[in-house]
Amino acid sequence: MKNDLLLQALRGEATRRKPVWLMRQAGRILPQYRRLSERVGSFKTMVQTPDIACEVTLQPIEELDVDAAIIFSDILVIPEAMGLPYEMEKNKGPVFPATIGTAADVDRMIIAGEEGVDYTVKAIKLVKSALNNTIPLIGFAGAPWTIFAYMVEGSGSKTFTLSRSMLYNRPEMAHALLHKITQSTINYLKAQVSAGADVVQLFDTWAGILSPQLYTRFSMPYLQQICSALQPTPVIVFAKGAFFALSEIAQLSCAGMGLDWTISPKFARDMAGNNITLQGNLDPCVLYAELPFVQKATLQMLQDFGPNRHIVNLGHGVYPDTPLDAVKCFINTVKQYKI
Ligand code: 1CP
């Protein structure tokens, strides 16, 4: 591969410079995405049409020259493949018209095979061929706990009362659903790897709303099952807000750990030890500042992580209204930085 900085960093090798990509790099920060999205008119159509998903995946490669592509899809394709369809409401986000509340609801969910998300698998094949071995392609899925939260709540939530209380009140039912999500996710990610994904990332976006005890019981075992099943493919686990679980996550069979911006690089390294690559973690809001400040904050972060085992990213997905020149300033600062 022409540029395999990302894979080198995940293997723990010294790199000539640090690799950089952005969570949500394919999306509304790019004018070409906004144009295409207006023309197509529906987010789900974009995700489910391999040619379009391929085009959107490649847009940030052309515009930003990042060191990895991430396949354009969504974490909510898994609940849909299990039997719980979602709708994407304009300016509101994803909503599930039906949700999981009873044991009978859990029983109705199927363990999805790869055919349930064949459109993403097809899109990966198209992207792989278009990339022509220039940079790695990242596949992804939601972590079981985060998917569980959407299936029970029906959307994002301020308090996640339904999903969190289910862990206390109906633990067996919760485990039954988490098991089905995990098996579906393993099938899906294995298909992504067979189609050409070089790395996979698990997004545990709602990790930080669980107590450490609940996280250990209801998220960690399922993350481990997925990481083990995918060996030897490098897996990156991004558990947002889970400062309390960093040392446990570092013990999973994963090559990398994503960090949100609330965690200092030193704290993360102390908790995680030296056998894992850290990814992150500039506050996405730094990118609303003047360019000299963006550059300064980025340089500080590069230094704080030290020379090795670091993949540069933001601490969460880039926000849709972020100025593009700040995004480019961030990326160029990383590329010019001498380790
Ligand atoms: O470029 C990329 O990163 C690839 C595309 C990608 C990824 C990795 C999309 C496209 N979604 C995701 C992951 C995803 N989806 C996560 C995990 C990462 C995170 O924490 O941001 C989550 C929680 C979702 C669910 C989701 N999809 C939300 C959040 C809902 C909430 O709880 O408030 C939203 C708004 C979406 C829609 C979506 N997915 C992707 C895009 C580009 C969009 C915006 C749709 C649009 O406006 O065009």
Side-chain angles (χ1 to χ4, degrees):
M1 191 173 291
K2 204 166 147 209
N3 168 358
D4 66 346
L5 287 170
L6 180 89
L7 305 177
Q8 287 176 17
L10 284 167
R11 288 193 297 261
E13 296 167 11
T15 51
R16 65 183 163 80
R17 66 165 173 83
K18 298 189 187 206
V20 57
W21 68 281
L22 273 78
M23 292 185 277
R24 290 284 174 102
Q25 64 191 18
R28 278 185 297 176
I29 53 161
L30 299 177
Q32 47 274 64
Y33 175 88
R34 294 196 295 266
R35 280 196 299 271
L36 186 59
S37 158
E38 242 164 62
R39 202 169 76 226
V40 178
S42 140
F43 175 79
K44 279 184 85 167
T45 305
M46 291 173 83
V47 166
Q48 292 175 354
T49 312
D51 282 333
I52 298 178
C54 171
E55 183 179 343
V56 174
T57 302
L58 297 172
Q59 284 173 346
I61 312 311
E62 169 100 344
E63 183 72 35
L64 306 172
D65 199 18
V66 276
D67 295 314
I70 177 162
I71 190 66
F72 181 74
S73 184
D74 198 85
I75 63 170
L76 302 178
V77 300
I78 278 294
E80 179 154 280
M82 292 173 68
L84 206 68
Y86 70 96
E87 288 165 10
M88 196 59 77
E89 291 186 4
K90 271 234 148 46
N91 303 324
K92 184 156 181 256
V95 175
F96 289 91
T99 55
I100 303 290
T102 65
D105 295 336
V106 175
D107 284 345
R108 266 196 298 278
M109 294 298 108
I110 61 161
I111 293 176
E114 67 168 284
E115 64 289 346
V117 269
D118 63 337
Y119 46 85
T120 299
V121 176
K122 283 184 185 144
I124 288 178
K125 289 181 184 159
L126 294 177
V127 170
K128 255 327 246 194
S129 140
L131 284 175
N132 195 20
N133 255 334
T134 47
I135 50 171
L137 174 62
I138 303 170
F140 73 89
W145 153 247
T146 288
I147 296 301
F148 174 97
Y150 280 108
M151 291 174 83
V152 173
E153 302 287 343
S155 66
S157 160
K158 276 210 173 106
T159 56
F160 289 89
T161 310
L162 293 171
S163 48
R164 275 198 295 151
S165 58
M166 194 181 280
L167 302 185
Y168 293 110
N169 294 333
R170 306 291 306 274
E172 278 157 28
M173 188 175 125
H175 279 302
L177 181 56
L178 286 161
H179 171 77
K180 284 186 170 178
I181 297 169
T182 301
Q183 293 309 309
S184 305
T185 303
I186 290 172
N187 292 339
Y188 178 41
L189 288 175
K190 280 190 166 173
Q192 293 191 31
V193 171
S194 299
D198 301 288
V199 174
V200 300
Q201 174 154 321
L202 291 170
F203 288 92
D204 211 352
T205 301
W206 302 119
I209 63 162
L210 291 185
S211 67
Q213 291 82 352
L214 285 188
Y215 198 70
T216 301
R217 277 175 65 202
F218 291 97
S219 189
M220 292 302 297
Y222 300 104
L223 290 173
Q224 178 54 42
Q225 284 175 35
I226 298 171
C227 290
S228 301
L230 280 155
Q231 291 305 308
T233 304
V235 180
I236 303 171
V237 175
F238 174 56
K240 187 169 176 287
F243 65 91
F244 51 82
L246 296 186
S247 53
E248 274 184 88
I249 292 169
Q251 300 306 311
L252 296 170
S253 327
C254 61
M257 177 159 81
L259 302 170
D260 67 70
W261 67 91
T262 66
I263 295 165
S264 77
K266 181 175 181 324
F267 178 80
R269 190 48 86 193
D270 288 349
M271 295 280 283
N274 292 320
N275 287 328
I276 189 160
T277 298
L278 299 178
Q279 175 175 280
N281 73 342
L282 194 74
D283 183 345
C285 281
V286 167
L287 301 185
Y288 296 90
E290 303 284 339
L291 298 187
F293 185 88
V294 172
Q295 189 182 27
K296 199 171 133 214
T298 305
L299 285 170
Q300 185 66 54
M301 176 195 58
L302 292 169
Q303 242 173 33
D304 290 347
F305 273 99
N308 295 320
R309 298 215 84 151
H310 182 212
I311 297 164
V312 183
N313 207 311
L314 301 178
H316 196 197
V318 60
Y319 301 141
D321 61 349
T322 306
L324 205 50
D325 59 347
V327 173
K328 290 181 176 172
C329 172
F330 168 69
I331 292 167
N332 291 334
T333 304
V334 178
K335 289 190 169 175
Q336 283 159 20
Y337 179 73
K338 301 264 184 305
I339 292 181

